[in-house]
Amino acid sequence: MPLLKAIDTNPSFAPRESGPLPERLISGNPAFKTWAQDVARGETIHTGVWEATPGETRSIKGETYVTVM
């Protein structure tokens, strides 16, 4: 079984569109698009293409806060 999976960086299918949860929004009005392409290891690894418009949000991964701009 190959360990590498090719990801299409220009997918032809429509993305899932979303925005940040209100409690995570810091500034701006960011919009997100996600083209999910593969799930592995019991749904613990998700790969695909993600796009965001400008804005600042707080993402919680365990105890770590990440700002995306």
Side-chain angles (χ1 to χ4, degrees), residues 32 50 52 55-59 66-69:
F32 309 137
W50 183 73
E56 191 172 0
T57 64
R58 183 172 291 113
S59 175
V66 179
T67 300
V68 178
M69 294 179 69

Side-chain angles (χ1 to χ4, degrees), residues 29-67:
N29 187 25
F32 309 137
K33 292 183 181 180
T34 304
W35 292 265
Q37 297 187 36
D38 190 51
V39 178
R41 294 194 182 194
E43 303 247 344
T44 60
I45 300 173
H46 295 253
T47 56
V49 178
W50 183 73
E51 175 182 297
T53 60
E56 191 172 0
T57 64
R58 183 172 291 113
S59 175
I60 302 171
K61 301 289 184 188
E63 301 256 346
T64 303
Y65 293 88
V66 179
T67 300

